[in-house]
Amino acid sequence: MGVVMAGYSIFLRPDLLQVFWAGMQAGDFITDAVLPIGTSRRTGRRVLLEAGGVRPRRGRNLKGRCLSFAQREEIAVLRAQGYSLRQIGAVIGASASTVSRELRRNTRPGAGYRATSAHAMAYERASRPKPAKLHTNPALRARVEGDLKKKYSPEQIAGRPRVQFPDQPEMRVSPETIYQSLYVQSRGALKRDLTACLRTGRALRQPCRKAGQRKNRIPGMINISERPAEVEDRAVPGHWEGDLIIGKGNLSAIGTLVERTTNYTMLVHLPGGYKAEQMRDALAAKIQTLPQVLRHSLTWDQGIEMQDWKTVTVDTGIDIYFCDPHSPWQRGINENTNGLLRQYFPKGTDLSIHSPTDLDWVADELNDRPRKRLGFQKPIELIGNLLLQ
């Protein structure tokens, strides 16, 4: 069953949206969260933006009170086949009175009963939003807006009126109400541009996970803090930094490897995608082309593509370390190289169209480019000298 039909939107399906939100709160990427509901990443992104990153209450814990879209489809089919109200109720697990009420309320005049239009009508009828407190209380709203502009946190804003106005409950507001009013524009109270006053400055709310709750955490990873001290001064060759550059729609990627001492670059061909097993095999094969003297260590970020890092270590003999979250400077040479590579592989393009020969040609060009950090020597010259030693 498709989720988007003519004149019918996934936004009318709280049951499906709650599956998506459950995935997002569990730590899924958008691409993974939309899979169970059969829609696109673009639609999932739109759902997030329109909700301000806040999971709606609607559609949660319905406990069978409301007819589902699937039940309405059954009603439409069985009604067209001439089934009685009792027979239809027996099939969908509802009483005959429920079926009767559904047909009476949600049938468009002159059009007959249709599941899509019935679901849309029921959705609109069930929409009875309670006016937001910050919308109905201008004095409180003005106070909250003023405190936000002073860079107060929602918790500080909510706590202060209890001290200043102990006998005026109408001047109290919870931190969650402030967040909801900022991020959920249907609440119609605070302007979203006030989110810039928050410490995070995010225009989209993101879940705060507890320690150890981060989904897809790489098992048994070795942190960069345990990396040998000799790696830091770049005096000993054979220590590498690695990452991915991502193509259009997050559907394709190229692996990048940069040697810390010489800036020598190698590119990893990933024609079928960059899932853990694909990354494992392609990365191990590329590292195995190096002599053992240049296989000391590899530093990577905490990308899920490196889940099988232990297998790469066993197959190649290279030690693998992982950066701290959101710390690209810990792979500074690799980050700089990825920027140079965007001259050849622009953002928003399909990277799967490039062959291994294409990647080798680009790597050769970079390795033949003189670098200021190397005293304007070329990476290919320095790596060549090492291989001759």
Side-chain angles (χ1 to χ4, degrees), residues 293-305:
V293 70
L294 291 178
R295 298 190 209 171
H296 292 322
S297 77
L298 170 62
T299 302
W300 205 277
D301 66 12
Q302 294 187 28
I304 188 58
E305 71 276 0

Side-chain angles (χ1 to χ4, degrees), residues 43-176:
T43 299
R45 179 68 178 168
R46 185 181 161 209
V47 170
L48 279 177
L49 289 173
E50 294 204 8
V54 179
R55 183 177 182 175
R57 295 187 178 93
R58 189 170 191 173
R60 300 170 80 172
N61 304 319
L62 292 179
K63 300 179 181 179
R65 291 190 303 110
C66 305
L67 291 177
S68 67
F69 183 74
Q71 288 175 313
R72 289 191 166 100
E73 284 189 316
E74 288 280 3
I75 292 174
V77 172
L78 296 175
R79 185 66 171 171
Q81 294 175 352
Y83 279 60
S84 68
L85 300 182
R86 290 187 181 278
Q87 290 172 322
I88 295 173
V91 172
I92 68 171
S95 67
S97 61
T98 297
V99 177
S100 175
R101 184 167 55 250
E102 170 68 16
L103 292 170
R104 184 177 69 255
R105 287 181 172 182
N106 298 326
T107 299
R108 293 192 184 279
Y113 182 85
R114 298 288 184 272
T116 51
S117 59
H119 205 73
M121 292 172 70
Y123 182 92
E124 292 300 323
R125 187 182 298 107
S127 299
R128 297 191 298 271
K130 180 181 177 181
K133 186 173 185 178
L134 291 175
H135 183 73
T136 59
N137 189 333
L140 180 60
R141 181 172 68 249
R143 180 180 181 83
V144 170
E145 289 175 345
D147 287 346
L148 282 170
K149 291 175 182 177
K150 295 177 185 177
K151 310 300 183 186
Y152 289 9
S153 71
E155 187 175 23
Q156 291 168 337
I157 296 171
R160 184 62 179 167
R162 296 180 181 276
V163 176
Q164 285 191 293
F165 310 107
D167 300 323
Q168 299 182 43
E170 69 275 8
M171 292 300 292
R172 297 179 187 177
V173 64
S174 71
E176 183 60 24

Side-chain angles (χ1 to χ4, degrees), residues 39-354:
T39 190
S40 66
R41 183 184 184 280
R42 181 179 180 181
T43 299
R45 179 68 178 168
R46 185 181 161 209
V47 170
L48 279 177
L49 289 173
E50 294 204 8
V54 179
R55 183 177 182 175
R57 295 187 178 93
R58 189 170 191 173
R60 300 170 80 172
N61 304 319
L62 292 179
K63 300 179 181 179
R65 291 190 303 110
C66 305
L67 291 177
S68 67
F69 183 74
Q71 288 175 313
R72 289 191 166 100
E73 284 189 316
E74 288 280 3
I75 292 174
V77 172
L78 296 175
R79 185 66 171 171
Q81 294 175 352
Y83 279 60
S84 68
L85 300 182
R86 290 187 181 278
Q87 290 172 322
I88 295 173
V91 172
I92 68 171
S95 67
S97 61
T98 297
V99 177
S100 175
R101 184 167 55 250
E102 170 68 16
L103 292 170
R104 184 177 69 255
R105 287 181 172 182
N106 298 326
T107 299
R108 293 192 184 279
Y113 182 85
R114 298 288 184 272
T116 51
S117 59
H119 205 73
M121 292 172 70
Y123 182 92
E124 292 300 323
R125 187 182 298 107
S127 299
R128 297 191 298 271
K130 180 181 177 181
K133 186 173 185 178
L134 291 175
H135 183 73
T136 59
N137 189 333
L140 180 60
R141 181 172 68 249
R143 180 180 181 83
V144 170
E145 289 175 345
D147 287 346
L148 282 170
K149 291 175 182 177
K150 295 177 185 177
K151 310 300 183 186
Y152 289 9
S153 71
E155 187 175 23
Q156 291 168 337
I157 296 171
R160 184 62 179 167
R162 296 180 181 276
V163 176
Q164 285 191 293
F165 310 107
D167 300 323
Q168 299 182 43
E170 69 275 8
M171 292 300 292
R172 297 179 187 177
V173 64
S174 71
E176 183 60 24
T177 295
I178 297 173
Y179 280 118
Q180 291 269 342
S181 296
L182 282 170
Y183 287 107
V184 184
Q185 289 305 286
S186 61
R187 304 287 289 175
L190 301 176
K191 295 180 180 179
R192 184 172 286 185
D193 56 13
L194 286 171
T195 56
C197 299
L198 298 176
R199 290 171 189 171
T200 62
R202 295 190 186 115
L204 191 69
R205 197 173 185 187
Q206 297 179 7
C208 180
R209 300 187 182 96
K210 298 177 182 177
Q213 191 183 3
R214 187 167 181 248
K215 185 176 174 64
N216 296 329
R217 192 170 180 84
I218 299 169
M221 66 178 184
I222 304 174
N223 189 265
I224 191 174
S225 62
E226 300 181 45
R227 196 173 64 175
E230 68 178 30
V231 182
E232 297 300 325
D233 59 15
R234 304 174 185 170
V236 178
H239 297 285
W240 299 76
E241 295 176 1
D243 194 17
L244 296 174
I245 55 174
I246 306 298
K248 182 178 180 180
N250 295 329
L251 298 177
S252 59
I254 295 173
T256 65
L257 295 169
V258 186
E259 204 281 317
R260 285 175 55 84
T261 301
T262 64
N263 276 43
Y264 185 80
T265 300
M266 298 195 303
L267 300 180
V268 182
H269 190 228
L270 298 165
Y274 53 101
K275 292 182 179 178
E277 61 273 15
Q278 296 162 326
M279 190 70 210
R280 174 196 64 207
D281 297 340
L283 182 59
K286 180 60 73 171
I287 294 175
Q288 285 168 349
T289 65
L290 293 168
Q292 195 63 46
V293 70
L294 291 178
R295 298 190 209 171
H296 292 322
S297 77
L298 170 62
T299 302
W300 205 277
D301 66 12
Q302 294 187 28
I304 188 58
E305 71 276 0
M306 288 295 286
Q307 263 198 333
D308 292 342
W309 68 274
K310 292 182 180 179
T311 303
V312 177
T313 293
V314 170
D315 292 345
T316 64
I318 197 169
D319 296 325
I320 300 179
Y321 302 93
F322 292 91
C323 298
D324 297 320
H326 313 298
S327 304
W329 58 88
Q330 295 178 342
R331 295 177 297 98
I333 299 176
N334 183 248
E335 285 289 307
N336 177 264
T337 301
N338 286 350
L340 299 177
L341 287 167
R342 286 301 186 181
Q343 293 178 293
Y344 303 91
F345 310 113
K347 291 184 178 180
T349 60
D350 181 6
L351 301 183
S352 65
I353 65 173
H354 302 289

Side-chain angles (χ1 to χ4, degrees), residues 17-31:
L17 292 180
Q18 287 299 333
V19 173
F20 168 78
W21 282 105
M24 292 301 299
Q25 285 197 326
D28 284 348
F29 296 109
I30 297 178
T31 306

